[in-house]
Amino acid sequence: MNQHDETYDLLATHTREAAILSSIQELLEWDERTKMPPAGGQHRADQAAHVAGLVHQKQTDPMIGEWLSALADSPLAADPTSDTGAVIRHLQHDYNKKTKLPQTLVEQLTRTAVEGQQVWAAARKANNFAAFEPILEKMVGLKKQEAAALGFEATPYDPLLDDYEPGETTANITCVLADLRDALVPLVQAIAGSAKRPDVSILTRHYPASVQETFGKQAAAAIGFDFSAGRLDATDHPFCCMPGPNDVRLTTRYDEHWFSDCFFSVLHEAGHGIYDQGLPSDQFGLPTGEYVSLGIHESQSRMWENQVGRSRAFWEYFFPVAQKEFPQALSDVTCSNFYGAINDVEPSLIRVEADEVTYNLHILIRFELEKALLEDQLSVADLPGAWNKKYHEFLGVVSPTAADGVLQDVHWSAGLFGYFPTYTLGNLYAAQFFAQANEDLGDLNAQFRRGEFLTLREWLREKIHRHGKRYSAAELAERITGKPLSHEALIGQLSAKYGELYGL
Amino acid sequence: MNQHDETYDLLATHTREAAILSSIQELLEWDERTKMPPAGGQHRADQAAHVAGLVHQKQTDPMIGEWLSALADSPLAADPTSDTGAVIRHLQHDYNKKTKLPQTLVEQLTRTAVEGQQVWAAARKANNFAAFEPILEKMVGLKKQEAAALGFEATPYDPLLDDYEPGETTANITCVLADLRDALVPLVQAIAGSAKRPDVSILTRHYPASVQETFGKQAAAAIGFDFSAGRLDATDHPFCCMPGPNDVRLTTRYDEHWFSDCFFSVLHEAGHGIYDQGLPSDQFGLPTGEYVSLGIHESQSRMWENQVGRSRAFWEYFFPVAQKEFPQALSDVTCSNFYGAINDVEPSLIRVEADEVTYNLHILIRFELEKALLEDQLSVADLPGAWNKKYHEFLGVVSPTAADGVLQDVHWSAGLFGYFPTYTLGNLYAAQFFAQANEDLGDLNAQFRRGEFLTLREWLREKIHRHGKRYSAAELAERITGKPLSHEALIGQLSAKYGELYGL
């Protein structure tokens, strides 16, 4: 073995060890949110903090810098999309970011995020933005310091966005999201003005939790989630996690009088889970075994949830199954009425309850506001007014309370600036990939009607999952669809689907 | 803070950190045995090995030796039963043992234990002792080396026993266990000769798993297991573990046609769990927050399983509840017949299926044999013959196969010599403590008949649990009962109970 190979091995082993520790964090969190007895919380915090400390130590070990320096001009780094080249490039990128931040700033950010979430929760409960304002002000200031320390050319939003969408630029997504907004607002208005309204009350009938579980698992298995390498449990706020390769855990929650909550959570998390299960497990712990970006991860969950799970073809196969499982609730319902009900579009106040059309407007509002905060175009004091103004403009609704308005999300209190747009990037990528899959694979709807979903899953594995982080999101879009990220596919799909549903 | 206090703080913090890591091992194992999807095994092994390495590093850190030296003659160590004195004394004891073992021997023991268990499993499956003989020979040799490295005066069995029963001596338990044997053999013979036989077929009727779960939880809660700081799950081989203070997890398994398996597992594990929940959580990670010995831990599980859970009084309260929960199986059964069935005594071949009377003879056979192996009084080649001879002498049965004879237990293949007697020490301590509790608390049976079990639990907390490892098992017995460990209480209780049941 030559010197470069040896150095690379040391680097890779070190990186994998950090990943083993991170995967233990995943298990600690999964257990905390699904199984842990209530009194176990305090010790769990001690365990999580201890492992977080070990991970941090590993990730900031100065040896990483030395190994990377030694490898920078080696043949192993020459091709940035080779196994070794991709690993070296990403580790260098992450190490640079980590070491640019002064320790005191990292500590301040961590402390303020913990405190911020507590203050936010209390302020939201008290419906009092003024109580949250000072710590949000502090957090925005710290995020600007973070951006300055990381360095940027165009806008402080760039290095923050890069944490979640590596390689993406604010300039690019600003254009794409503005195009999306300009097309979405009239579409939402047209739907709101339509006389056709589905009967959503059928979704509030009695759906027994145990049957929801069986039915959800059946659907998740059908679309290709592998239960021999995963499981499904109940929790308060659904999530998907990966305590290890070949160990991917979905969660959902059960409301016996709201069908959609559990079922579409299961499909959504199963979409994340199928991606995790499709990552090359022999590359576990290295960038070549990791997901591309939050936007790409979300594209996988959204595609299975929306493009597949809210399609007419999907329900032409699954509705008879659902009728058998829920005879009391569904025996007098037609597939068409059910399809209409699960695709009800209604401008509303709360992001997490929004439908697939209006959802993106909730995101665009947050993106524009957080970008303005960081670029000093908006003060924290003016945030509530700006929030309400945009809700009125984009969605035609204004929250009577701060709790259901500007205080509804935890993200900013936790310092997550640059995170929101990834939700909508996920929707855009999902639409763009799905359009291409239809071109590549023929009529997917015909397959869905027969209960066949694995062709699409294999296509996603081949085109996206197996590459790990070898290509950026933008590169993937170009490679797979021949086009850059754009609003067109999503708007095309939404217009066609909702045009038919609402007779536009 | 003076120098000694500072040193003690460093030592305690370091020790607690090792315990946090150990508690993560507990969660990894609990998850593996109850929840992990089948494909997750390989990565779980990586996680477990990594954490085991970190724990080992912590536990053998030479700083511990330096801190302990600095504290040895300090006022903090002066009283061996004070908080600090007990901590220093136990840590010194453990550190001495750890550092006396050469690294190569530790590695050989670990490797041979892993290989040994694999070879044992295959040999057992093939019913072939000869296939297991060479590695068992090797293991016995290594255990002798271990004993020599640790040092001993009387017998190499002493330092090995000390791993599980700190402070106990082979000489002492040899006497006590011989007394027990001499009293048990005739009791078992008398029972076997009795014409009275319970109808155990009632326990093989249909007991739905979900109802077994509800009923088991109800009983565990009634005897004082706190489900806000614990839970119950299904597994293959029941165990109890503690991923943290206030987080104690019981497991059981469900056989729908064998009532006793699940129910008495739940009571047994709940007994362990009640002890774990009773340890002082503010002392977590330090000897003052740890259990005394395996024998004392087992005394807690056995007392709730046998002295309480197999008593007539317990079922006078719980049998009507059971009849309500299992109407199909139990509506035509009397409490008395049920009590007889769950207390069926029958000499048999398999230790883990044995009743509370014959169980101890299985243990005594193993204790005498493993002691003889280590003291060079028996060769591994002669083990099968010696095994069968003792089974014939003690229990009047001889296994036709090695698989159900000398190959039935995993312990020796894993290097666990000195472990077996702790099961019977548990039964002896349970009987001795229970007799004392009856003296201290009045007629416990009268309380059990009313479904009251918390008086006994509080007594155990006060007398045993809250002290952690402050006193040795022998010291506890003296403190609580005024007597040393003896066979008398157990033989007294068994003779009275089974005398009545079998009309002796």
Side-chain angles (χ1 to χ4, degrees), chain B residues 160-300:
Chain B
L160 304 182
L161 175 66
D162 182 88
D163 276 352
Y164 314 111
E165 286 299 311
E168 189 53 88
T169 67
T170 311
N172 181 51
I173 67 168
T174 301
C175 290
V176 174
L177 298 183
D179 288 344
L180 179 66
R181 180 196 58 205
D182 295 344
L184 265 185
V185 171
L187 178 61
V188 168
Q189 282 169 352
I191 294 173
S194 163
K196 287 181 89 170
R197 301 249 60 97
D199 173 14
V200 295
S201 76
I202 55 177
L203 303 176
T204 65
R205 295 176 177 179
H206 187 233
Y207 296 85
S210 63
V211 188
Q212 288 195 45
E213 184 184 350
T214 316
F215 184 61
K217 278 186 172 171
Q218 200 179 337
I223 64 172
F225 181 78
D226 176 0
F227 278 97
S228 79
R231 44 182 294 131
L232 171 68
D233 294 272
T235 192
D236 286 338
H237 297 281
F239 63 100
C240 168
C241 73
M242 180 162 70
N246 306 313
D247 184 356
V248 176
R249 305 192 182 191
L250 317 178
T251 60
T252 188
R253 62 183 167 200
Y254 300 101
D255 178 342
E256 297 211 323
H257 288 281
W258 183 236
F259 172 83
S260 296
D261 196 20
C262 164
F263 186 77
F264 291 104
S265 289
V266 171
L267 282 194
H268 180 96
E269 303 308 338
H272 283 304
I274 288 168
Y275 185 10
D276 287 338
Q277 288 182 337
L279 293 167
S281 61
D282 62 328
Q283 299 291 309
F284 174 80
L286 300 177
T288 38
E290 275 165 16
Y291 67 91
V292 175
S293 70
L294 286 188
I296 295 298
H297 223 313
E298 193 74 2
S299 77
Q300 303 304 291

Side-chain angles (χ1 to χ4, degrees), chain B residues 299-428:
Chain B
S299 77
Q300 303 304 291
S301 58
R302 293 296 186 170
M303 190 187 299
W304 290 109
E305 179 192 355
N306 291 335
Q307 273 81 3
V308 180
R310 292 187 200 270
S311 72
R312 194 184 283 278
F314 179 89
W315 288 103
E316 279 170 8
Y317 176 77
F318 264 110
F319 188 69
V321 184
Q323 279 187 312
K324 250 184 226 153
E325 297 281 357
F326 306 105
Q328 283 203 309
L330 294 178
S331 57
D332 66 344
V333 176
T334 66
C335 182
S336 201
N337 287 343
F338 185 82
Y339 171 64
I342 58 162
N343 283 302
D344 178 43
V345 171
E346 191 90 62
S348 65
L349 294 172
I350 307 294
R351 174 183 62 87
V352 295
E353 295 167 6
D355 54 79
E356 71 170 317
V357 184
T358 59
Y359 187 88
N360 296 297
L361 293 176
H362 291 268
I363 295 302
L364 298 179
I365 290 168
R366 287 154 178 77
F367 167 63
E368 294 181 10
L369 293 174
E370 69 181 13
K371 186 166 158 278
L373 283 172
L374 288 162
E375 293 176 351
D376 289 326
Q377 319 244 325
L378 176 69
S379 72
V380 170
D382 292 337
L383 182 61
W387 178 282
N388 288 338
K389 189 157 169 280
K390 281 200 192 284
Y391 261 81
H392 181 69
E393 263 177 54
F394 291 13
L395 284 158
V397 295
V398 174
S399 173
T401 67
D404 283 347
V406 68
L407 287 176
Q408 73 181 263
D409 297 305
V410 70
H411 300 59
W412 290 335
S413 75
L416 300 174
F417 287 78
Y419 190 110
F420 277 124
T422 68
Y423 292 117
T424 284
L425 294 180
N427 288 325
L428 294 171

Side-chain angles (χ1 to χ4, degrees), chain A residues 17-21 23-24 27-28 30-31 34-44 46-48 50-51 54 58 227-231 233 243-249 284, chain B residues 17-21 23-24 27-28 30-31 34-44 46-48 50-51 54 58 227-231 233 243-249 284:
Chain A
E17 281 174 3
I20 286 175
L21 288 164
S23 72
I24 291 172
L27 184 72
L28 290 170
W30 172 84
D31 183 75
T34 60
K35 304 293 173 193
M36 191 187 73
Q42 203 185 327
H43 185 71
R44 181 53 44 87
D46 289 345
Q47 292 172 318
H50 191 83
V51 180
L54 293 172
K58 281 264 174 208
F227 276 97
S228 79
R231 44 183 294 132
D233 295 273
N246 307 313
D247 184 357
V248 176
R249 306 192 182 190
F284 174 80
Chain B
E17 282 174 3
I20 287 174
L21 288 164
S23 72
I24 291 172
L27 184 72
L28 290 170
W30 172 83
D31 183 75
T34 59
K35 305 293 173 193
M36 190 187 74
Q42 203 185 326
H43 185 69
R44 180 54 44 86
D46 289 346
Q47 292 172 318
H50 190 82
V51 180
L54 294 171
K58 281 265 175 208
F227 278 97
S228 79
R231 44 182 294 131
D233 294 272
N246 306 313
D247 184 356
V248 176
R249 305 192 182 191
F284 174 80

Side-chain angles (χ1 to χ4, degrees), chain A residues 80-87 89-90 275-283 286-293 296 433 458-473 475-477 479-480:
Chain A
T81 62
S82 71
D83 272 2
T84 55
V87 167
R89 172 167 56 89
H90 281 291
Y275 185 12
D276 287 337
Q277 289 182 336
L279 292 168
S281 61
D282 62 328
Q283 300 291 308
L286 300 177
T288 39
E290 275 165 16
Y291 68 91
V292 176
S293 70
I296 295 297
F433 293 147
E458 289 316 302
W459 185 89
L460 293 168
R461 284 208 166 156
E462 167 67 21
K463 300 283 180 182
I464 300 170
H465 307 175
R466 74 183 174 93
H467 299 299
K469 213 169 182 167
R470 194 177 309 266
Y471 307 108
S472 73
E475 285 164 351
L476 266 187
R479 280 175 60 92
I480 298 172

